[in-house]
Amino acid sequence: MADFQYKSGSWADVPAYAHPDDEGSINVVYPEPTERDGLGAPCGAIGLPHIEILATQMRGDGWAWWQAFFADANALTAAISLTAYDPRTAAWVKYAGTLLRPLGNARPGGSATNTLYTDVTIVVEQITVTT
Amino acid sequence: MTLTADQIANTTATEFDVKLRYFAAAAYYNTLTLAHYEFGSAPVGWTISGDSITPAGSWVEVTDRIYARGSLTYEWVGSALHWSTELQGENYDEDYFAVDRAVMCLRRIVRGAYDSGWVVWWIGCIAAGEWRDDYRLGAQWQRSVRGTDVTLRLIDAPRLTAGRINIAEDASATASTTLATPSVEAANGEFVGTTANVGASNVVDQRLNTVWISQSPPSSTTASIAYNAQVPKLDEVFFKPVAGFDPDRAWWVEIVNASTNDTVVSIWDMLFVTYTALGAHVATRFPAAGELEPGERLVICGNRATFEAMTGGARGAKIVLAADETPYSYVVSSWTETSPGSGFYTANLGTTWTRQTLNATGGYAMLAPRFWSSWGDKDGVKWGTDRAFPSGVVAADIWSGATVDISTIVDGESIRRTLSGGGVGGSNQDSETAADWQIETYPTPGDKYSVTRFDWLLITLPEHVSTLGTNITPASTTIEIDEGTLGWPEAGDGVIEGDTFSYTGRTATELTGVTGLASSHTAGATLNPYVGSVAQTGWSITSVRLRRRPGTAYILRYEVWISENDSPTTPDGEDPSNVLWRADYDEPHYTGANLNGFTGLGGGPDLTVYLAPDTGARWARCILINILEMYPETGAVTGARAKLNEVEINLDEMTLPDQGVTSLPGVTAGLLAEYLIDQHTWLQLSDFVDVALTWGEIGTVATAIQPLPTVLEDLARMHGCIVGWGVDGQITWLPDPWWPGGITKHPDCADGPIYRWEPSTVRGEITFQTAQTEVSGVAVTAMDGEGNPLERVTAPPGVTGSGVREFTGLTVANQDTAKLLAFKLELKEKNQDRCTLTVKGIGEWCWPTQVYYVEWPDGTERGTWIAERVTWSWAFGAAKQWSCTLDLRRMYVG
């Protein structure tokens, strides 16, 4: 079993074509401090951690795999459980959260599969650790 | 005030999350019951689970119409705390964002394991703003939202001219007379009774102006219960009275002939048997020829007086027997027994019936033929701990089920035949199992309430007694009254021993400006106000208002009648068209129909209705309240009983004319502010947070019409108070920390500064400004209320030179007030230090007027500061931003 998994009944590997490419990432992103306190130490990190999946390139079938989580074309969010790499603990952690619509630039090809998506950003918000 | 551990943790938090949700009421702000929503708590009645919020009432979520950025400012300006917030959004809807509409914001704070949950942050009124239609973005809009002061600005009130308010004048006065509070109120909060006179003898706790007349919110009950068996059945058993009632006397049992045809059942020689607290079985034998017509109900009670005090009696009941102190019975509707003589309650098993308590732990009640096992149908119910029926009873004939579970029963509840499950109107509700029975929250003995009848309550005020304090002669210009002058008009006529006189004013204890006395009178003589050529023994009242707690039923129509008679005729309780009794009451009376938009008492929580807000005072000795119609009603037989939870009668003790000069001996600034809110606004008294009601007594005030916020600010300024238009919509009366002596009384600093600011708890830049002060002191040249100039006073005393700032044109009560004002102004004017800092965490507990202690790392700038403005701002984009900024002003004390 690979590290990058999602839960559909049981935990299963995310298909390779839906992975970010080598230049991408699967990270838990923590809110950044917005200010310094009176002693100069960072503070003011507003918000909660979220998962950010970045892919400089993704094939059409990978894109479609992520879209399949949504109930219909108008849904803006979908429930999802998947693993992500937590840089603070340097470990893969299982999370449940809310998947937002992936963002990316489409370069239409001859077929849906051949459509290439670039600069793809996939965000999962409101994450909680799950099993 | 002390910070909670979570607040302190939030103060230093480096990671946290704040969420906001907005709701529109689809209603105008001034129609809201603000007291219903407690600041810092979840809205009452809403269903909240995690981020799922289901509003109650007309509230509609509008979060998706509002941009996720904004700010809220809470500011101390002059003597008032104002708050305002700016909202912007799209998809404008007139139903939600029109001016004067109400909008509410809920906030949820999450920090690590701490989760505040969704709580009310503010409720406000949309004050002003603009919207425009944009072809790309839809109807964009922006709105300012403000607190109570926005809506109150439209309300005129008598303005209290500053110069007439005297801080230390007329120190003593009694409050008001005590009306009635029956004994049960002390323990249960309420008194039960519908037709009893309520007198001064019922007072137990000295609550002012309040009469409690009911037990609980009523429930609507359905039509008569029907059973298959056409025999008398036990219908309801009450054995657990509320505190304040003697359990020996307060129990009652209801028996019904529930036959569905015309069968008349005989109860002749039947026994009613029960199990007492002493463990004894006792029985009552019904008299010869006793019968119950179909639908007829018989109520047996431990003691008639207690029963009536507790329940108001069984409606429409005919009292069968009143022979002695032994139990009394009611028969509802009619009673065919015409000779209830001796032998009615004679059969005893073991002990006497009188003053036995039904066992609240467990017992039974049973109807049985006198010859237990041989013939006829029987009926019984057991509750709580299982008790054996008396020997000779064939239990299998009457009861085969388990006992009724009363483990959840509370004081004041009964057990009764279930109205569901078994069915109504012919379905079997006599399955001989515990499922036939249920706990009844609102016991209703006897007949059900019918709209063809009406309930009434007669409130008899105590006699207004005035006794001459010292001897007077025809030359006397003052008359001293032992009981005080409360209840006497500000000016008018009086009569003493048939000798009428006029007076032009009053103090707390004396009538002044007396003329017209024809003879001498000695101390101890009785005197009365003389109005309409009548010596008034009642009270001058300004309003009567009724409150009813929310329930399934509410009052649809009612009347209030006022009488100067101390024992007026009362309605017969059966026929509202009977007008004979009305001659004893004044016209006009006040009815629900006179109230525009009034849809019934109890439509909202603790709805308050003014019956006579604008008609001035009326002389009253008795107040009759008729409840004519209840809702819901479903025909001839309805379930809702006529009850009120509270009747408040306001005496004419603090009436302010629109213009003129009024003496208010002993009245404090807080009481007067409360009065203004009570009498002139739509707010409830519970919306007025009386932090310092005892502050600053008032002597004489001059009045003129002004918007209410102006009036309250005047009042606050002259008494060293701050009027707070709270973010939660409430009005708060706070001591002013600038006022001399106020610092020690300020609730936030009674124990010193509530939070000590360290550099690590401050975020970002700290701006510190100090201007070279050119003020060496202040001088106040004021005049009193009559326009007479007062002596110029300086602070510090004797200060001279070009640095003295002059204040002229001020109006104060007297020379002492001018000195206080000078001292106060000096503190402010000599102070030029300000600083701005941003709280590191959420700052949810920061408010203006709080006193802060700020310490710089090098220790050079430290001391106490007062927050003049708190601003929260937020932008919830991809990266959330939140800040809480405090504008502080250095405080010099002394």
Side-chain angles (χ1 to χ4, degrees):
Chain A
M1 299 289 281
D3 290 325
F4 189 31
Q5 295 185 324
Y6 75 108
K7 190 173 187 179
S8 174
S10 59
W11 290 95
D13 291 351
V14 176
Y17 54 79
H19 280 225
D21 57 329
D22 288 349
E23 296 178 9
S25 60
I26 308 168
N27 264 348
V28 176
V29 178
Y30 289 87
E32 293 183 22
T34 58
E35 296 278 1
R36 301 274 168 170
D37 69 14
L39 296 177
C43 70
I46 316 299
L48 298 175
H50 63 276
I51 297 172
E52 205 168 83
I53 301 168
L54 302 176
T56 53
Q57 291 188 353
M58 182 176 283
R59 281 182 10 182
D61 47 359
W63 179 266
W65 187 87
W66 288 103
Q67 298 294 333
F69 281 96
F70 296 89
D72 53 56
N74 295 320
L76 295 180
T77 63
I80 192 173
S81 295
L82 81 171
T83 59
Y85 186 78
D86 181 354
R88 288 195 180 181
T89 61
W92 286 86
V93 181
K94 293 172 179 172
Y95 293 100
T98 302
L99 175 67
L100 306 187
R101 281 278 182 185
L103 299 176
N105 302 316
R107 299 183 182 181
S111 66
T113 305
N114 289 338
T115 298
L116 183 66
Y117 293 82
T118 60
D119 298 329
V120 174
T121 303
I122 301 171
V123 172
V124 181
E125 288 187 342
Q126 299 174 4
I127 56 173
T128 56
V129 175
T130 185
T131 57
Chain B
M1 177 175 172
T2 307
L3 295 195
T4 66
D6 286 317
Q7 287 172 334
I8 293 172
N10 279 338
T11 298
T12 57
T14 55
E15 285 184 17
F16 52 88
D17 196 26
V18 183
K19 301 176 182 179
L20 303 176
R21 299 267 287 269
Y22 302 91
F23 296 84
Y28 290 99
Y29 184 75
N30 62 6
T31 64
L32 296 179
T33 305
L34 292 171
H36 195 44
Y37 300 94
E38 279 190 28
F39 176 62
S41 299
V44 177
W46 290 30
T47 304
I48 298 178
S49 174
D51 279 341
S52 171
I53 300 176
T54 306
S58 62
W59 291 96
V60 176
E61 178 153 15
V62 292
T63 306
D64 59 359
R65 298 170 185 264
I66 297 176
Y67 295 150
R69 64 174 180 271
S71 66
L72 186 147
T73 302
Y74 200 7
E75 194 168 15
W76 179 12
V77 181
S79 56
L81 301 181
H82 296 270
W83 73 275
S84 63
T85 183
E86 300 295 326
L87 297 180
Q88 300 174 61
E90 55 193 22
N91 295 329
Y92 177 82
D93 191 321
E94 189 77 10
D95 286 344
Y96 300 141
F97 303 119
V99 170
D100 289 342
R101 292 277 184 181
V103 62
M104 172 162 54
C105 179
L106 266 58
R107 184 178 66 183
R108 184 178 183 180
I109 299 169
V110 178
R111 178 188 50 76
Y114 172 73
D115 185 346
S116 69
W118 288 102
V119 298
V120 175
W121 191 21
W122 49 260
I123 300 176
C125 171
I126 292 179
E130 62 180 29
W131 68 278
R132 60 189 171 86
D133 220 346
D134 186 293
Y135 73 95
R136 291 166 302 174
L137 299 170
Q140 285 190 317
W141 55 269
Q142 63 181 42
R143 282 287 189 256
S144 295
V145 182
R146 295 183 63 183
T148 309
D149 58 322
V150 174
T151 46
L152 294 187
R153 192 182 304 126
L154 302 176
I155 297 174
D156 286 339
R159 179 169 191 171
L160 312 170
T161 304
R164 288 291 185 158
I165 299 174
N166 187 337
I167 296 173
E169 191 173 296
D170 292 342
S172 68
T174 53
S176 66
T177 189
T178 301
L179 298 181
T181 310
S183 58
V184 177
E185 192 271 335
N188 192 41
E190 290 151 22
F191 168 68
V192 184
T194 54
T195 58
N197 285 6
V198 180
S201 61
N202 293 317
V203 173
V204 293
D205 62 357
Q206 304 304 310
R207 277 181 67 100
L208 303 179
N209 292 347
T210 303
V211 180
W212 300 83
I213 64 168
S214 78
Q215 160 77 9
S216 296
S219 65
S220 55
T221 55
T222 58
S224 298
I225 305 165
Y227 314 98
N228 288 340
Q230 285 146 14
V231 296
K233 290 288 185 185
L234 290 167
D235 188 46
E236 191 167 0
V237 183
F238 181 87
F239 48 78
K240 199 168 185 188
V242 297
F245 285 105
D246 182 356
D248 286 351
R249 295 166 173 259
W251 61 267
W252 52 267
V253 177
E254 181 181 339
I255 297 165
V256 63
N257 173 3
S259 60
T260 52
N261 55 25
D262 293 335
T263 306
V264 177
V265 298
S266 170
I267 58 172
W268 171 68
D269 241 11
M270 288 187 81
L271 291 175
F272 169 71
V273 190
T274 191
Y275 181 86
T276 74
L278 298 177
H281 311 296
V282 299
T284 297
R285 180 166 64 93
F286 295 120
E291 289 180 336
L292 284 178
E293 299 281 351
E296 222 173 31
R297 294 161 186 275
L298 173 69
V299 179
I300 303 171
C301 52
N303 178 275
R304 177 181 160 195
T306 303
F307 173 74
E308 290 180 343
M310 183 174 64
T311 66
R315 294 297 316 171
K318 184 176 180 180
I319 301 168
V320 176
L321 179 70
D324 49 34
E325 283 301 316
T326 53
Y328 294 87
S329 292
Y330 279 99
V331 168
V332 178
S333 301
S334 63
W335 173 250
T336 57
E337 169 59 46
T338 56
S339 57
S342 61
F344 191 65
Y345 296 111
T346 56
N348 298 313
L349 294 178
T351 184
T352 58
W353 174 259
T354 308
R355 303 205 59 181
Q356 291 299 324
T357 310
L358 264 62
N359 195 306
T361 305
Y364 64 80
M366 182 179 68
L367 281 175
R370 189 178 181 190
F371 307 101
W372 302 99
S373 58
S374 58
W375 53 271
D377 291 306
K378 311 101 184 159
D379 190 40
V381 60
K382 289 181 177 180
W383 62 86
T385 305
D386 198 3
R387 308 287 186 189
F389 287 113
S391 60
V393 175
V394 180
D397 285 352
I398 60 166
W399 190 255
S400 58
T403 56
V404 178
D405 180 8
I406 58 165
S407 58
T408 60
I409 196 170
V410 299
D411 291 352
E413 294 180 341
S414 68
I415 59 172
R416 63 170 299 157
R417 293 275 178 182
T418 179
L419 299 178
S420 59
V424 177
S427 299
N428 184 12
Q429 289 172 310
D430 197 19
S431 63
E432 307 297 0
T433 68
D436 289 344
W437 291 78
Q438 66 181 12
I439 292 172
E440 171 60 53
T441 309
Y442 309 117
T444 51
D447 205 358
K448 305 311 173 191
Y449 183 77
S450 167
V451 293
T452 62
R453 302 190 176 101
F454 68 97
D455 278 325
W456 53 268
L457 168 81
L458 182 69
I459 298 170
T460 305
L461 304 182
E463 184 178 358
H464 182 189
V465 177
S466 297
T467 309
L468 183 63
T470 55
N471 296 347
I472 54 174
T473 68
S476 297
T477 57
T478 62
I479 295 179
E480 182 183 333
I481 300 176
D482 282 347
E483 292 83 3
T485 59
L486 182 73
W488 286 76
E490 299 298 334
D493 297 332
V495 59
I496 178 168
E497 295 177 326
D499 188 5
T500 59
F501 60 90
S502 298
Y503 64 97
T504 59
R506 68 170 195 180
T507 68
T509 57
E510 281 185 343
L511 304 178
T512 59
V514 173
T515 56
L517 282 168
S519 56
S520 297
H521 305 275
T522 54
T526 299
L527 65 164
N528 297 98
Y530 194 65
V531 180
S533 300
V534 174
Q536 296 290 345
T537 60
W539 298 85
S540 181
I541 64 173
T542 56
S543 67
V544 177
R545 43 184 208 175
L546 314 178
R547 287 197 186 97
R548 185 182 171 84
R549 294 185 185 167
T552 54
Y554 59 87
I555 297 170
L556 204 59
R557 289 192 299 125
Y558 64 91
E559 295 173 340
V560 176
W561 298 78
I562 293 172
S563 176
E564 296 179 16
N565 191 329
D566 61 359
S567 56
T569 308
T570 53
D572 59 11
E574 300 294 333
D575 180 10
S577 64
N578 182 343
V579 298
L580 295 179
W581 53 269
R582 299 187 183 183
D584 283 354
Y585 299 86
D586 287 350
E587 292 287 353
H589 63 280
Y590 308 96
T591 70
N594 288 341
L595 296 167
N596 292 333
F598 177 64
T599 58
L601 287 170
D606 200 21
L607 183 64
T608 301
V609 177
Y610 289 84
L611 294 166
D614 303 318
T615 54
R618 303 277 307 271
W619 286 93
R621 188 67 199 279
C622 290
I623 294 134
L624 176 75
I625 300 164
N626 292 334
I627 307 299
L628 300 176
E629 187 175 356
M630 298 293 296
Y631 181 86
E633 55 90 11
T634 55
V637 178
T638 66
R641 301 196 70 222
K643 287 190 177 181
L644 290 168
N645 286 89
E646 188 179 321
V647 177
E648 183 175 320
I649 299 161
N650 289 310
L651 295 180
D652 180 20
E653 57 184 311
M654 202 195 296
T655 303
L656 292 175
D658 292 344
Q659 296 180 21
V661 179
T662 304
S663 174
L664 297 172
V667 174
T668 65
L671 279 175
L672 187 53
E674 193 179 62
Y675 168 84
L676 291 169
I677 291 162
D678 191 31
Q679 295 289 316
H680 292 278
T681 78
W682 43 268
L683 287 170
Q684 299 187 352
L685 278 184
S686 52
D687 292 322
F688 185 77
V689 185
D690 51 347
V691 171
L693 275 183
T694 58
W695 275 51
E697 290 188 355
I698 297 168
T700 301
V701 297
T703 52
I705 293 297
Q706 288 290 323
L708 188 70
T710 307
V711 174
L712 290 178
E713 280 198 42
D714 282 353
L715 196 57
R717 183 177 301 118
M718 294 312 297
H719 287 83
C721 287
I722 299 169
V723 55
W725 314 104
V727 293
D728 49 355
Q730 296 185 320
I731 295 177
T732 308
W733 202 246
L734 289 169
D736 182 345
W738 287 104
W739 190 253
I743 186 70
T744 59
K745 296 180 181 177
H746 194 285
D748 280 353
C749 33
D751 301 320
I754 59 172
Y755 192 71
R756 184 180 166 97
W757 291 93
E758 303 288 351
S760 61
T761 54
V762 178
R763 182 168 134 197
E765 295 287 320
I766 303 175
T767 61
F768 176 72
Q769 306 170 358
T770 182
Q772 181 64 45
T773 175
E774 297 175 350
V775 178
S776 57
V778 297
V780 170
T781 306
M783 62 186 81
D784 69 10
E786 304 289 346
N788 302 318
L790 297 171
E791 187 180 340
R792 178 177 178 272
V793 291
T794 57
V799 65
T800 57
S802 60
V804 176
R805 183 164 293 178
E806 295 283 344
F807 291 88
T808 59
L810 300 174
T811 303
V812 297
N814 54 29
Q815 194 72 47
D816 288 340
T817 313
K819 288 178 183 175
L820 290 174
L821 185 60
F823 185 26
K824 175 180 177 179
L825 288 171
E826 183 204 1
L827 291 179
K828 284 192 173 181
E829 294 303 319
K830 290 178 74 173
N831 167 2
Q832 299 293 323
D833 288 353
R834 287 176 176 77
C835 88
T836 301
L837 56 85
T838 303
V839 180
K840 188 169 170 181
I842 300 160
E844 72 271 28
W845 50 271
C846 297
W847 302 106
T849 74
Q850 282 175 332
V851 177
Y852 294 92
Y853 183 82
V854 186
E855 180 177 287
W856 264 252
D858 61 3
T860 54
E861 293 293 342
R862 63 176 66 197
T864 49
W865 299 69
I866 296 179
E868 291 189 311
R869 184 186 299 107
V870 180
T871 305
W872 297 271
S873 57
W874 58 91
F876 294 167
K880 282 189 170 183
Q881 294 176 24
W882 178 274
S883 73
C884 171
T885 302
L886 296 160
D887 292 320
L888 304 179
R889 188 165 179 179
R890 187 194 290 277
M891 176 179 231
Y892 291 102
V893 180

